[in-house]
Amino acid sequence: MPPSSRRDPPPGPGRRPTPGARRAGPAAAAGLLVCAAALALSACAAPSPSPTTGVGCSLTVYIPTAGGTPGSRPLATVTARHGSASQTLRRGTNTVLVACGTRVALRVGGSHSRGRPFTNWVVDGQAVARPAILVPVDGIMSATAAFATPAPPRPSPQTTATATATATPTPTPKPSPTASVVRLDRWMQYDPATRTVTLQLAAGYQNLDYGLNYDGQTKGALAVTVPQGWHVVVRFRNDATSLPHSAAIVTATGTTPVFPGAAVPNPTTGVSPGGSATFSFTTGAPGAYRIACLVPGHEAAGMWAHFTVTAGGLPSIQL
């Protein structure tokens, strides 16, 4: 992790202390291996870590909620075991930090499904019809618990209307992914052929650290590296429930974007909760910079990330 270029200021007035165990941002499926023996929690060849991707390792577990909204009650609890640690996951979205190459055992329990029983896990697009699985984690991975959907009510014979026959449209096939496009995880993808990078930047993600975070990370724990002369597109959204947030590429002590266009509009005012903005720029001179929230007091409270421009190589992101 790049070293901090300055000492962090103390939290502002009214700022509660950061919890001792900070949870990371969520994640998505990337390069996951699941073997049949793992379904019974038995031996499975451990994957090799991927230090060249620059991606830290974590497992995000998604549990559907009864109302289909983040504030609704999850349909079940999940026990996650890795090494000697054990966690009971009770939220819709849960992130488990692990060392690369670690196996995480997941087991569904405590169902509150009300007629919607557990059916399977979906891991890296693969359905596994067992309540207990073993997931070898290498990168930023995700696992989603699936539950049966109640059958829709049958229409009453008295209200059946005459149907008009229509031709069923032929679905348009999805284009195959371009081999040159590299997707490190859900937060970044880049194309060496066009020297472009797309960065997903979620402010206040899951309200971690009281909403003062980028992609679930705070105080420089998120590190983005982009080579000189690459075009960067930042898709910014504010997931916070009450605070405005912004993002700008600045120096360690500056408040002016270091590259033309490298900030959301009105960065000192910020984007309202639930809002989004897209900005783009081309990286200039190599050096160590910051992604900072310029809403007064937010950067001082830890809402900043490392942004490094290198003379060559490829982009990377580390959480």
Side-chain angles (χ1 to χ4, degrees):
M1 188 69 64
S4 173
S5 54
R6 70 179 182 192
R7 180 175 297 176
D8 297 320
R15 168 90 163 127
R16 289 180 287 174
T18 302
R22 180 180 54 79
R23 291 165 294 205
L32 186 61
L33 299 176
V34 176
C35 66
L39 302 180
L41 305 184
S42 59
C44 178
S48 300
S50 299
T52 56
T53 64
V55 179
C57 293
S58 64
L59 176 67
T60 300
V61 180
Y62 298 96
I63 308 172
T65 56
T69 59
S72 302
R73 188 180 189 184
L75 296 180
T77 58
V78 171
T79 301
R81 298 181 183 274
H82 49 100
S84 59
S86 179
Q87 297 174 244
T88 300
L89 312 179
R90 304 180 187 277
R91 302 192 303 171
T93 304
N94 310 265
T95 301
V96 180
L97 288 173
V98 296
C100 293
T102 298
R103 304 178 190 179
V104 179
L106 302 177
R107 180 181 294 274
V108 174
S111 176
H112 308 292
S113 59
R114 296 183 181 179
R116 297 173 59 184
F118 171 82
T119 58
N120 59 275
W121 285 98
V122 178
V123 183
D124 195 24
Q126 304 177 43
V128 183
R130 295 286 184 89
I133 60 172
L134 190 64
V135 181
V137 181
D138 184 21
I140 299 178
M141 327 302 283
S142 68
T144 303
F147 291 79
T149 302
R154 296 181 179 180
S156 171
Q158 290 80 7
T159 59
T160 302
T162 303
T164 302
T166 58
T168 303
T170 302
T172 303
K174 294 182 179 180
S176 58
T178 306
S180 63
V181 175
V182 178
R183 185 182 179 96
L184 292 184
D185 50 63
R186 68 177 297 179
W187 304 113
M188 173 188 277
Q189 69 178 34
Y190 65 83
D191 187 349
T194 59
R195 287 160 57 95
T196 58
V197 181
T198 300
L199 176 65
Q200 306 289 340
L201 198 62
Y205 184 75
Q206 294 187 38
N207 202 39
L208 300 174
D209 286 291
Y210 314 107
L212 295 162
N213 73 76
Y214 288 124
D215 296 345
Q217 308 294 334
T218 188
K219 296 182 180 178
L222 171 65
V224 176
T225 301
V226 179
Q228 181 182 18
W230 280 56
H231 186 67
V232 182
V233 178
V234 180
R235 303 192 185 282
F236 175 87
R237 72 175 193 265
N238 186 0
D239 289 353
T241 57
S242 60
L243 296 175
H245 287 309
S246 70
I249 311 300
V250 296
T251 63
T253 57
T255 57
T256 302
V258 294
F259 310 122
V264 300
N266 304 313
T268 56
T269 303
V271 176
S272 299
S276 62
T278 298
F279 62 94
S280 62
F281 60 94
T282 299
T283 54
Y289 306 100
R290 288 193 177 205
I291 305 172
C293 181
L294 299 185
V295 175
H298 289 197
E299 182 183 10
M303 196 169 178
W304 62 274
H306 288 284
F307 188 91
T308 303
V309 177
T310 57
L314 293 173
S316 68
I317 186 169
Q318 185 164 353
L319 296 169

